[in-house]
Amino acid sequence: MSTGVRGRRRPAVPATAVLAILTALTALTTGCGGATMTTNDGHDRHDGQSEHGAHEAAPRDGHGTAPVAEKPVETARQETRALSERLLELAAPADGATVTDPGPGVDVCEEDPERERLFTMYHAWGLHRLPRQELEQAMDRLRQGLPAQGWTVVEDGVLANANRSPHLLLENAALHFAADITLAGRGDSSQLQITLQSACFSTPEGESPRGEF
């Protein structure tokens, strides 16, 4: 990502966006059944899947599903960052933007609370310190350009908040990711907030995601 302010706190996303991401990620596990998710701090959501190979995590209420792919955590982390880079390149903000980027994170799959094999990836970052009009243009470029890169628009509207924040929700079934994009704030304090959230992955046999969270 471009240089900018770095931190650990994840930007807040309204509850309506949380529910929308949940709906989108349910469709990501093509051929693997639906996904369920939990919420942490009101911004990042993490879907739950069930057993993979030798993994014997009991599916919740009998409705667990297999992870969508097997890969090492570091591979998933690099792929998540590369995906954010592509979104940033497409948004192509003008010079002078600040990218708030704490880096991709790893979180727990609901169906594997002991973190034996399963994990999800998220990456929450934002663009700010630009005139709102330029952030609107960046959002429009994502709206128009992402479908040509395999993304499907799930929602395109405004959030039910005081600012009526423009909001996009997209999913990419081939990549097993959803993208939540919100133009938050007002005027010069506006920020384009982007969160990538994956479906559930599994580490290779003999590897564990413990210590990566």
Side-chain angles (χ1 to χ4, degrees), residues 89-111:
E89 182 178 356
L90 181 59
D95 291 341
T98 296
V99 181
T100 303
D101 173 23
V106 182
D107 218 326
V108 182
C109 281
E110 184 177 313
E111 299 299 341

Side-chain angles (χ1 to χ4, degrees), residues 106-125:
V106 182
D107 218 326
V108 182
C109 281
E110 184 177 313
E111 299 299 341
D112 187 6
E114 298 302 319
R115 296 174 282 188
E116 295 178 11
R117 294 280 298 275
L118 306 184
F119 66 98
T120 65
M121 297 299 306
Y122 65 87
H123 193 188
W125 51 279

